[in-house]
Amino acid sequence: MYDEAVQHTNKAGSRTGAATGVVAEGLSKQFGDLWALRGLDLAVPAGTVLGLLGHNGAGKTTAIRILTTLSQPTEGRATVAGHDVVHHPAEVRSRIGVANQQATVDGLMSGRLNLEMVGRLHGMSTRDARRRGDELLEQLDLVDAGTKLVKSYSGGMRRRLDLAAALMARPEVLFLDEPTTGLDPRSRGDLWAILRDRVRDGTTLILTTQYLEEADRLADDIVVLDHGRTVAHGTPAELKSRIGDDRVDITVRQADDLVAAAGAISAYASNDPTFDVDLRVVSAPVRDGVRLIDIVRALDEAGIDALDIDRRQATLDDVFLTLTSSHHAAQPEAVS
């Protein structure tokens, strides 16, 4: 379980004694001889946001599929909204909303009819389903397209409609797997505002995203997965402080100088550097009290031709690059 309690943002709750929205203990999933997820522990109070971060193949989608009853764990257990995902899947499904990576709306129906159908499947009356659908169409800027067939929608419009469908029944727990992929910045900001309102009203949100700014702004707590295992967890501020609050980015003239530049400033670094070979940038956390002129002198003494030196605060991008594997096509852990 977490060493630190999940930060609580629900206006009616607190960090202690809060109702629990999602719990997982030792959650694992094996495919053949490979583990896609291994020993995941979660304790997410109601009315908070948990961000799941990791490279493609790190285990995020596998975790979401288990928690939404689409897949059964090989080991471990989980409850969502107080119900076991294996033994009481129907109870779980009646209390959750899900938006997967691929939009699942029907292209041969209008956007309004898609939402009405989802509402009716959740047991809403026709009148209530239409009212709720119209409300969401307005919130997600889809009113003008509401009567058009979904097959005529752009990718971003389909994504917004899929999110509206997930919100139709005002779920207790909302799972969003890469929810803003394909959305323009304005639509992304509108969605963030809607999600904040839902969380303030007590909804628990489990979010996977490749937009680290999104996790930084929305998540109360973050779990970083790599090769199916948890490699870090904590609030965004805790994770950023873990790798160093201040960082320095050094742009060199040629990629061959990256390692030498990292070595030149190693005495001033508080953790291992990260490299961007394409941009010819080495980034490293710096110790407290280190001056920028100290970095400049060290590079000069080492004969490094630095084109640019920038000192800044750490971001979740730095956390992600530092705590996960450098390659993006991570392979699941082999069974021992």
Side-chain angles (χ1 to χ4, degrees):
M1 287 298 178
Y2 291 150
D3 297 327
E4 296 287 335
V6 177
Q7 182 181 355
H8 200 80
T9 56
N10 181 1
K11 60 185 178 184
S14 64
R15 289 174 68 97
T16 59
T20 300
V22 177
V23 172
E25 299 174 351
L27 208 60
S28 303
K29 182 65 176 181
Q30 182 179 350
F31 294 101
D33 293 333
L34 300 173
W35 289 100
L37 189 68
R38 192 66 162 150
L40 177 65
D41 293 332
L42 300 174
V44 189
T48 65
V49 183
L50 173 70
L52 287 177
L53 304 183
H55 292 303
N56 292 334
K60 307 185 302 298
T61 297
T62 299
I64 294 293
R65 287 183 59 82
I66 293 173
L67 294 173
T68 57
T69 76
L70 296 176
S71 179
Q72 291 198 1
T74 305
E75 295 177 357
R77 61 180 297 272
T79 61
V80 174
H83 297 277
D84 190 281
V85 298
V86 173
H87 299 297
H88 303 288
E91 294 293 337
V92 171
R93 291 169 192 159
S94 69
R95 290 166 170 79
I96 65 174
V98 183
N100 290 311
Q101 291 182 17
Q102 301 297 323
T104 55
V105 289
D106 190 334
L108 298 179
M109 297 171 61
S110 70
R112 180 170 283 108
L113 285 177
N114 264 280
L115 297 184
E116 182 180 332
M117 177 186 68
V118 171
R120 296 288 287 143
L121 289 172
H122 277 281
M124 301 169 67
S125 68
T126 300
R127 180 180 179 181
D128 288 344
R130 287 175 179 171
R131 182 185 295 125
R132 176 61 173 160
D134 288 344
E135 176 185 316
L136 289 167
L137 288 173
E138 183 174 357
Q139 288 180 350
L140 289 167
D141 196 23
L142 288 171
V143 172
D144 292 340
T147 58
K148 298 178 180 178
L149 294 182
V150 172
K151 68 179 182 180
S152 68
Y153 283 18
S154 67
M157 292 168 65
R158 280 177 173 260
R159 194 63 180 142
R160 279 180 279 158
L161 184 65
D162 200 46
L163 293 167
L167 293 167
M168 271 295 291
R170 294 182 173 87
E172 295 178 40
V173 182
L174 181 60
F175 293 90
L176 301 181
D177 197 4
E178 310 286 352
T180 56
T181 300
L183 296 188
D184 58 68
R186 177 180 176 182
S187 297
R188 190 176 301 143
D190 291 343
L191 174 63
W192 291 352
I194 293 171
L195 295 178
R196 289 191 190 99
D197 288 341
R198 296 302 307 145
V199 172
R200 278 193 290 267
D201 289 339
T203 299
T204 305
L205 173 59
I206 309 296
L207 169 77
T208 76
T209 180
Q210 296 291 347
Y211 297 107
L212 299 188
E213 177 195 5
E214 187 165 70
D216 204 354
R217 294 182 62 173
L218 290 178
D220 298 293
D221 198 53
I222 289 174
V223 169
V224 183
L225 296 175
D226 192 29
H227 292 73
R229 291 185 178 273
T230 299
V231 295
H233 63 74
T235 67
E238 288 168 345
L239 292 181
K240 285 184 281 189
S241 65
R242 171 175 170 174
I243 65 166
D245 289 326
D246 281 358
R247 299 182 73 85
V248 61
D249 294 334
I250 303 166
T251 305
V252 296
R253 187 171 296 278
Q254 53 189 14
D256 291 345
D257 291 334
L258 287 171
V259 174
I265 65 168
S266 59
Y268 304 108
S270 59
N271 210 327
D272 294 335
T274 58
F275 300 90
D276 189 320
V277 177
D278 293 333
L279 296 179
R280 303 186 308 282
V281 174
V282 56
S283 178
V286 293
R287 302 181 188 279
D288 292 340
V290 172
R291 301 172 302 168
L292 193 59
I293 189 62
D294 297 327
I295 301 294
V296 173
R297 287 172 176 166
L299 292 169
D300 185 58
E301 290 173 0
I304 303 299
D305 187 5
L307 301 180
D308 187 40
I309 303 174
D310 179 39
R311 185 167 184 164
R312 59 176 175 79
Q313 289 188 321
T315 67
L316 279 185
D317 294 76
D318 299 312
V319 173
F320 188 80
L321 292 171
T322 300
L323 299 180
T324 63
S325 300
S326 59
H327 56 284
H328 289 253
Q331 297 297 317
E333 175 195 359
V335 176
S336 58

